[in-house]
Amino acid sequence: MTKQNIRIRQIALMLISLLMVFSSAFVSNAAVNNDNTISPYYVNISNRSVNLSISGIKAKCSATLQSKNSATLKIKMELQKEKTNGYETVETWTSSKTGTILAMSESRNINILCNYRLKVTFTAGSETEIVYKY
């Protein structure tokens, strides 16, 4: 091999190495939540959790939102009943405040013969994330 071919290969390998480093930096802008789901990297939202517990005719719904910095926090929980063509909201609860943590918990009587899910919309400043819990 000539010196010129070796130099071209070295430059190509260096470029590929740089691309690999920068592409892994983009992948690192994701977070793994408590429920082992991957969500986008947010500037404000640091953690969120959702729980739906059904016992007999009672559905207990809860959600928690944590922010890295003090911001306007909002949680909107929607208890939804399964229908033949999707889901229908049967109850909606909202809570908001300014700070770094917001938690809420609500319950409702349900029909034990139906399937339900909880749709939660988290907002911290200008960031919004929607989570479903079945």
Side-chain angles (χ1 to χ4, degrees), residues 1-133:
M1 266 191 205
T2 66
K3 286 186 178 187
Q4 186 177 6
N5 285 344
I6 291 173
R7 180 62 102 189
I8 291 173
R9 287 182 185 215
Q10 287 175 339
I11 292 172
L13 285 173
M14 287 173 42
L15 288 174
I16 290 171
S17 297
L18 284 173
L19 286 174
M20 290 173 61
V21 168
F22 286 118
S23 67
S24 66
F26 288 119
V27 172
S28 68
N29 283 342
V32 178
N33 297 305
N34 292 340
D35 55 359
N36 290 329
T37 60
I38 297 175
S39 66
Y41 177 80
Y42 291 109
V43 173
N44 290 326
I45 297 174
S46 66
N47 196 12
R48 86 309 183 257
S49 63
V50 177
N51 189 38
L52 173 62
S53 168
I54 296 178
S55 178
I57 63 167
K58 184 75 71 176
K60 294 180 184 177
C61 310
S62 62
T64 303
L65 173 61
Q66 291 179 320
S67 177
K68 295 174 187 170
N69 306 305
S70 183
T72 302
L73 306 178
K74 296 177 186 175
I75 298 176
K76 178 181 177 185
M77 295 193 305
E78 297 175 68
L79 183 62
Q80 298 181 329
K81 180 168 47 171
E82 187 175 28
K83 296 287 190 178
T84 56
N85 58 347
Y87 283 87
E88 169 188 67
T89 299
V90 294
E91 187 78 47
T92 301
W93 304 280
T94 59
S95 182
S96 65
K97 77 172 200 177
T98 300
T100 58
I101 188 165
L102 176 62
M104 64 183 298
S105 181
E106 300 289 345
S107 62
R108 184 184 196 280
N109 289 339
I110 58 169
N111 180 343
I112 61 172
L113 301 176
C114 297
N115 293 319
Y116 292 85
R117 74 177 182 186
L118 184 61
K119 176 184 178 183
V120 181
T121 305
F122 295 102
T123 305
S126 61
E127 300 171 352
T128 299
E129 183 178 4
I130 298 174
V131 178
Y132 295 92
K133 185 74 172 185

